[in-house]
Structure formats: C-alpha cells, structure tokens
Amino acid sequence: MSEPVLATHELKKSFGALVATDNVSIDLRPGEIHAVIGPNGAGKSTLIGQICGALAPDAGRVEIMGRDVTRFDTAARAREGLGRTFQISALAMEDTALENVLLGAIGQTGRARRFWSPVARDADLQTCAMGALERVGLAESKDTRCADLSHGQRRQLEVAVALTLSPKAFVMDEPMAGLGLDGSKTMTSFLDGLRSEAPILLVEHDMDAVFALADRISVLVYGRIIASGTVDDIRASKEVRDAYLGESV
C-alpha cells in the first residue's frame, strides 16, 4: 500500500462544550479521491480548517508526505504542496483569470502584492500561470474578468491557482456548490481527470458526484468518523443510512 500523501492523526477541536472534531484520523493516498461526507454541523469545515492551517487543533497532528505540519500556517502548508479550493470563492472578481492565477501564486509564495508590476512581467511566472489555465481549460479566457466567468469556470480557476504550486494534494470544499446538473457533470469529469495530477480530499454534499468519483468515503457525524470504506461499503452501511444517507441509496 502506498504511503499517504496527506494524513491526520486523532485530530481534536472543541469550541466550548461543542466537540467539532473528535479523534479524526483519515488519510489520502496517491492517485485517489477520498470523499468526506456528513450532515450539516458534522464538523467538516472544522476538519478542513485544521488540515489547511486555518485552525489549530487542540490535539493530534497533520502530516504532508510524512512531515508533521501541524504548526505550519496556511501559506506554509501551501508551500509544502497542499492545494485548496473553497466552498465560497476566494477569487478577485475584478481581476482577469490570468491575474487571479498570478496573484494566487504570488500570495502563496509569500511575495508581497506591492511587487505585482515586476512579477506580472516575470516570464517564468507567466508561463506557469498560462500552463495552469491550459490544464483546467481556461486558456482562452485568460483576459476575461473573473466576475464574467460562469460559476463552474470560477471553480476551475481556483484549481488553476492551486496548480501553480504543483500541489502534492488537493483539499476541495464543496466544488459542486451552486452548480446545476450540467455544471456538476462537467466538474465531475474534470475532477476525475485531475486525480492523476494530485490526489483529492473531497468534502461534498452532491452524493451523485461523490459516488461517481470516490475511491474511498469517510462519514463524519457529530465530529466523529462513523464509517470509512468504498462506495459499496458506505451504501451498504445501516449506520450511515440512519445517520445521513437515508434509504434513497
């Protein structure tokens, strides 16, 4: 079995009396999509925050390629190879697609925006940014304002921003949110191909997408992982049906 690219070990986080994550241990292996599902309030956002560095755990640790990054901030984890997309877009809506990718690369590497002018003319960075846009199918939209892109294109643009750092793993927070049926199908196909670039930890409510994409699924309920396994394992679990999926699956 391949060594995990990303792993959490007994992560705990409480807010007063509320236990948001309770000894959560999951991992992400090369080439796979590992989905984390669960009802609203299950602790998924708190888990992502701890994995990506926005929240410090009360206990436990996070590893990237076996290295303990628990004390690293968000930018440092990005430099270690963790690429993140957000439930609510963090893109600069008035900037073009290319400018967003350039700015994302600058911000992730810790270079100040005040150096934007010389960096924007940096041939290597331009090549990197255009390569990322081509990878997600947005090269022809490089001069389009982000605000004028479709919702699905903005999701792809977030991935392009992450790709500039050649990520070792992606953490994606509800990439299907706000997409219609056609948009979800397009994004599902896109993510299916992206796993060859880097494995994906996918937090998602769209169960059609989850069942189509996931190699493994972990189910988070009230801060605890109650089940983890293949799509068939999760579909067959009475505990998961009772806690989250219902009888529709």
Side-chain angles (χ1 to χ4, degrees):
M1 183 180 296
S2 301
E3 290 298 313
V5 177
L6 174 68
T8 72
H9 300 275
E10 298 185 342
L11 285 185
K12 296 182 181 180
K13 185 68 179 179
S14 297
F15 301 96
L18 174 65
V19 180
T21 51
D22 189 1
N23 286 305
V24 175
S25 297
I26 59 174
D27 62 45
L28 180 65
R29 300 167 191 162
E32 79 166 345
I33 294 178
H34 186 163
V36 177
I37 64 173
N40 290 331
K44 300 186 298 297
S45 294
T46 300
L47 175 60
I48 288 177
Q50 291 172 93
I51 290 172
C52 295
L55 285 173
D58 298 331
R61 69 185 189 277
V62 179
E63 295 178 348
I64 299 174
M65 301 296 292
R67 183 178 184 185
D68 189 341
V69 298
T70 310
R71 295 184 180 275
F72 289 22
D73 64 15
T74 301
R77 294 188 200 197
R79 291 192 290 272
E80 287 293 314
L82 191 61
R84 179 180 180 181
T85 67
F86 296 83
Q87 181 180 6
I88 299 173
S89 179
L91 298 168
M93 301 301 288
E94 294 304 312
D95 288 333
T96 67
L98 179 59
E99 287 169 343
N100 266 277
V101 178
L102 288 168
L103 284 170
I106 295 165
Q108 297 285 31
T109 55
R111 296 165 74 172
R113 182 168 180 158
R114 67 177 177 273
F115 298 119
W116 163 249
S117 293
V119 169
R121 296 191 296 269
D122 186 304
D124 289 340
L125 194 57
Q126 287 274 346
T127 298
C128 176
M130 281 305 303
L133 287 173
E134 288 169 2
R135 179 69 182 84
V136 303
L138 290 178
E140 293 184 0
S141 301
K142 68 183 180 66
D143 295 321
T144 302
R145 282 192 325 150
C146 184
D148 296 327
L149 296 173
S150 70
H151 188 71
Q153 287 174 316
R154 291 175 201 160
R155 290 296 191 189
Q156 289 169 275
L157 183 57
E158 287 187 343
V159 175
V161 172
L163 283 172
T164 60
L165 290 182
S166 300
K168 298 180 177 71
F170 286 104
V171 176
M172 297 195 174
D173 189 1
E174 296 193 32
M176 309 297 171
L179 299 179
L181 180 60
D182 289 343
S184 292
K185 288 181 178 178
T186 299
M187 182 60 71
T188 297
S189 177
F190 173 68
L191 296 183
D192 193 30
L194 189 65
R195 77 175 84 204
S196 63
E197 189 91 26
I200 302 170
L201 185 68
L202 176 68
V203 176
E204 184 53 64
H205 281 292
D206 184 332
M207 294 312 302
D208 288 337
V210 168
F211 287 149
L213 288 169
D215 299 289
R216 287 188 292 154
I217 300 173
S218 292
V219 186
L220 189 67
V221 177
Y222 296 125
R224 295 186 66 87
I225 299 292
I226 65 167
S228 189
T230 66
V231 169
D232 289 341
D233 293 335
I234 298 305
R235 283 183 184 273
S237 169
K238 182 178 185 303
E239 185 177 13
V240 173
R241 289 199 306 271
D242 291 344
Y244 180 52
L245 294 179
E247 297 299 327
S248 59
V249 298

